[in-house]
Structure formats: C-alpha cells, structure tokens
Amino acid sequence: MAEMVTYLPISSPFIRFAGRYVDEAFGVAAGYNFFVLEAMLVPFEIVACNLIIHYWSDIVPTGGMIAMILVIYGFINLFAVKWYGESEFWLALGKVILAIGLILYTFITMVGGNPLQDRFGFRYWRDPGAFAEVYSTGSLGRFLGFMVCLVQASYTISGPDYVSMAAGEAENPRVVMPRAYNKVFGRLTAFFVLGSLAVGINVPYDSQEISDAINNGEPGAAASPYVIAMNRLRIGVLPDIVNALVFSAAFSAGNSYVYCASRSLYGLALEGRAPRILTRCMRNGVPIYCVIVVLLISLISFLQVSNGTATVLKWLVSIITASQLINFSVIAFTYTRFKKACDVQGLSRDKLPYKGIWQPFLAWYALSGCLTMALVNGFAVFIHGNWQITSFFFSYTMVGVFPLLFFGWKFLKGTKIIKAEEVDLQKDVEEIDEYSRNFVPSPPG
C-alpha cells in the first residue's frame, strides 16, 4: 500500500488503484465493499455506546438511547461538519491517553500498586491458564480457542488503509506519507500487542463477568475487562473515568464512520458507480443523501432491542471482519498487479519514494492469509450444534456479494482485466512530480 500511494498519492487510493491496475469492475466491488465496511461500523459503535451507558443506569430504554445517538450523528454530519476536524483531533487524543493510561495501570497494579497490595503479576496465565478450551477439550479445544481469538483479532486490523484515504489531501505526500505509514504501523502494533497482553493480565478467561458480557450482553462492570479488574481490586472512581473515556471513544468512532461511509458513497456516485441523486450536496458541501443512506443503514442497531446486545455485536463484528479481510485482500492483489506492471514497463521500484521489502512474496502471503481468514470467519457455525442462519448470513454475506458485484459490473459494462503492459502507470504522476519539485513548506505558526 505504501509503495503505491507514495508513488501516486490520490484520494481513496486503494479503491481507485483496484480499478486502474486490475479491472474497473474490481474497483467497483472494492468501493462498495469498503462502503459496507464503514457503514456497518456505525451501528456497531452505537450498540457499543448503548452497552457502556448502561454501566451507570438503564433508565433510558435501549431503543430511546439508539434513537438519540442517531439524531446526534445526523445533526453533527449535516449541520456541524465544520467542527468535525477539530473535535476528532481532541477525541483522538483522548483515545491515545486512554490506551497509554490503561497499559500503565496494568503494570502498576500487577506489581502491587493497588488497594489490596495484591502482586498478581501473571497469575491468570497459570490459573486458569493462557489458552481456553472452546467447542471441545484438549489440544483441539485449545486450537479452536486460538482460532476464535484470531478471528476476533482480524476485526481490529485497520490503520494503514485509513492513512491512505488522506493521501490526496496531505501536504508534500511523498515525504509525509512514508513517515506516516511507519509510525502508524509501529504504534498500532505496540498498542494492540500491549493492550492484548494487559487484558490477559487483568482478567482470567473464565471470569463470570466476562462470560456474562460475551454470552448475555450484560452491562455494568462487564462492559470492560479493565473495569472488572478495578472492581476486583476495590479501586474507586477510576472505573467511571475509564468507562466515560471508552464511551467518548466509541461515540467518536461512530461519528467518524458516518463521515467516512457517506464520503465513500459520494465518491462512488461522482464516478457514476452509484445513483446520480447521491451527488447532491447541501449549501455547506455535505452530501445529504449519502449521509441519510448511512443513517438508514445504521437503523440495524435497533436489532439490539429484540435480540440482545451480545448477539447483535457478534453479527456486526462478523460482517465487518469479512469486509475488512476482503479489503486487505483487494489491496494485496492490486499491489501484485502494480508490481507486475512496473516490471513489464521497466519502472524501477528503486526510484519510488518508498520501496517495500520481500515483495511480491509478502503481498501474496497477505492475500492468501486474508482470504483464508475471510473463509474461516464463521467457522463456528459449522461445528455440530452451533448452526445458525443469521450467524452464517452475517459471516459470509460479503464473501458472496463481492464476486457478484465484480461479475455483475463486468457483465453490464463489458470491462476487461487490464494486462500488465496496458496499465497506465503515468496518469496523474506528472502533476505529483511537479508539485513535489516546487513544494515550499508552509511557515510554522
């Protein structure tokens, strides 16, 4: 991704590259898959916000809370969009402080810095242990437990793709973007690894409160493993602060996804790949119908009223995970075509602003890994006694929809897979070269 984007930094790059380097139909399918990914993240965050709110009180019914959040999202994205960037900056800063704070909290408490002076360290790695047995016993059960965690982890693999979305608007992108990719990769890896380690240190996998949260959607302390640990250690006030920060992070994320999903749909409409009516904007430039479509899709969150929090979250995670994995598969395959075109047309990768290592082997590895995980995303439904139509539907809908979009667009428009020697590697490049040569940094302040 970094190699392609730094060579040609344009907006929505991996979607447009899919159409430029592979096939127009491939770009269409990639665009709609990314839109579904972003749109489905909105109801997920709404359901999560509702779960967190019930930590304090359940006086507001589930349906009422969902409606309130949707109305606020609609207001912000239709009428207060000019404050979007500023508000997201401060909310994002809050997320970073929260992540660092929880990691530090884990270290301090595990060595005895808590009211009980309990130096629990890695106790839960020994009792009950690091690997839970799921669906079976013994080695098979532990392997299936690992697979469940791996599928859940697939949901979280995002970051570089979102950085790429800003490439067309970044200042001096050929210098800035390589640094951004390296920093994002390093920071996300650190936060994910240390965060997962911290959760395993704070709470055992057989915690009853964790079980109630996962299986029954119980609110209260079960809304966060850190809050469970704080209550166990009799730490006051801090659980309320943590849940407040988690709520603000979830609310902020949902608002961001409304923005990203509506702009993704707007981009598809501008390129003639979605109904023309979706290009209409308000006087402040907001694509009103695109925002409305995203909010209508977000009504899925009302499923929480009749099906329970845990069930709805599980469904949404399944469809989001599948879309996320397909998105990374698209990026990996597009890169293999880009590299092939560079080799055939004599464009040396040594001259690119950024050159990835071990390519194209890592791209093929990523492609095979992501496709495999997309196919095993809903493996649990095939285990005896676990079959559920809804779970199967949410796990594999996008796996079926993506090829339907691809072949449907090919049939309607008669597109063809672009040969390596026919790929246009020079389109828009001269403008970027000229910009980079004449770039003058803005004075500080």
Side-chain angles (χ1 to χ4, degrees):
M1 172 57 73
E3 204 168 292
M4 293 188 293
V5 171
T6 53
Y7 173 66
L8 184 58
I10 55 178
S11 59
S12 302
F14 53 87
I15 296 173
R16 296 169 69 182
F17 289 159
R20 286 191 183 194
Y21 302 151
V22 184
D23 187 325
E24 180 186 338
F26 195 63
V28 171
Y32 274 103
N33 177 73
F34 187 73
F35 167 69
V36 170
L37 167 62
E38 296 293 303
M40 285 298 171
L41 281 164
V42 180
F44 173 85
E45 298 296 348
I46 291 174
V47 173
C49 284
N50 192 36
L51 173 65
I52 298 167
I53 280 291
H54 282 82
Y55 170 76
W56 292 286
S57 172
D58 57 2
I59 190 172
V60 180
T62 297
M65 183 58 64
I66 292 172
M68 288 171 57
I69 295 174
L70 281 171
V71 169
I72 295 172
Y73 281 166
F75 175 78
I76 293 174
N77 281 274
L78 289 175
F79 306 108
V81 71
K82 64 180 180 180
W83 294 301
Y84 172 81
E86 185 71 16
S87 62
E88 283 304 307
F89 170 79
W90 292 108
L91 288 170
L93 182 61
K95 296 175 191 176
V96 174
I97 293 173
L98 174 63
I100 295 174
L102 290 176
I103 292 170
L104 290 175
Y105 157 83
T106 300
F107 176 75
I108 293 171
T109 55
M110 71 183 290
V111 297
N114 58 75
L116 300 182
Q117 296 184 348
D118 180 11
R119 300 180 181 180
F120 56 90
F122 292 91
R123 176 187 303 162
Y124 299 131
W125 285 33
R126 299 187 301 272
D127 180 23
F131 287 86
E133 296 178 352
V134 180
Y135 304 124
S136 185
T137 57
S139 298
L140 177 59
R142 289 190 290 273
F143 173 74
L144 292 177
F146 168 77
M147 285 301 299
V148 170
C149 290
L150 190 60
V151 169
Q152 291 290 324
S154 299
Y155 164 77
T156 67
I157 53 169
S158 60
D161 49 336
Y162 290 112
V163 172
S164 302
M165 295 296 287
E169 301 172 26
E171 186 178 77
N172 198 16
R174 286 186 169 171
V175 173
V176 171
M177 293 305 292
R179 298 175 187 167
Y181 280 115
N182 289 330
K183 289 180 179 179
V184 166
F185 178 79
R187 290 171 183 173
L188 288 181
T189 300
F191 282 140
F192 284 154
V193 172
L194 292 176
S196 300
L197 181 67
V199 169
I201 290 171
N202 279 295
V203 183
Y205 69 73
D206 62 353
S207 164
Q208 186 59 47
E209 290 176 293
I210 286 287
S211 178
D212 290 340
I214 295 174
N215 298 321
N216 305 320
E218 293 291 334
S224 167
Y226 294 102
V227 174
I228 293 174
M230 292 171 187
N231 288 339
R232 178 181 64 82
L233 296 171
R234 300 176 188 174
I235 298 175
V237 182
L238 198 54
D240 294 286
I241 296 174
V242 169
N243 262 335
L245 289 172
V246 171
F247 175 80
S248 69
F251 182 86
S252 165
N255 185 52
S256 297
Y257 295 135
V258 172
Y259 182 89
C260 293
S262 60
R263 273 36 177 203
S264 297
L265 184 59
Y266 181 61
L268 288 169
L270 286 176
E271 295 180 357
R273 297 171 179 176
R276 188 93 185 144
I277 191 174
L278 296 175
T279 61
R280 294 186 182 180
C281 296
M282 298 171 62
R283 295 169 69 177
N284 59 0
V286 175
I288 179 171
Y289 293 120
C290 292
V291 174
I292 291 174
V293 168
V294 174
L295 293 176
L296 288 175
I297 292 174
S298 301
L299 295 177
I300 291 175
S301 53
F302 280 102
L303 287 172
Q304 183 183 10
V305 175
S306 58
N307 292 280
T309 302
T311 301
V312 176
L313 284 175
K314 199 174 297 183
W315 289 344
L316 292 173
V317 165
S318 294
I319 195 168
I320 291 167
T321 300
S323 294
Q324 183 81 280
L325 290 165
I326 291 171
N327 187 48
F328 276 97
S329 299
V330 166
I331 293 172
F333 184 70
T334 300
Y335 175 77
T336 64
R337 300 302 302 165
F338 170 76
K339 184 179 183 305
K340 179 69 173 178
C342 289
D343 293 340
V344 170
Q345 298 183 29
L347 176 61
S348 174
R349 292 172 56 241
D350 293 327
K351 297 180 180 179
L352 299 179
Y354 184 96
K355 180 182 178 182
I357 61 172
W358 301 338
Q359 298 293 358
F361 308 108
L362 285 184
W364 285 110
Y365 172 76
L367 176 61
S368 59
C370 289
L371 286 178
T372 300
M373 289 307 301
L375 293 175
V376 303
N377 177 36
F379 81 93
V381 301
F382 299 109
I383 296 175
H384 181 69
N386 282 2
W387 174 258
Q388 290 182 326
I389 291 291
T390 48
S391 296
F392 176 83
F393 174 80
F394 278 99
S395 296
Y396 293 104
T397 292
M398 290 312 299
V399 175
V401 167
F402 187 89
L404 285 177
L405 288 170
F406 175 67
F407 289 110
W409 192 267
K410 282 184 73 68
F411 176 77
L412 289 173
K413 300 295 183 178
T415 65
K416 295 181 179 180
I417 294 178
I418 306 171
K419 297 179 181 179
E421 57 270 19
E422 296 175 354
V423 170
D424 189 351
L425 293 173
Q426 302 303 321
K427 183 179 180 181
D428 300 325
V429 172
E430 181 57 37
E431 296 177 19
I432 302 298
D433 289 340
E434 183 69 18
Y435 171 84
S436 298
R437 284 193 296 267
N438 299 321
F439 174 75
V440 177
S442 302

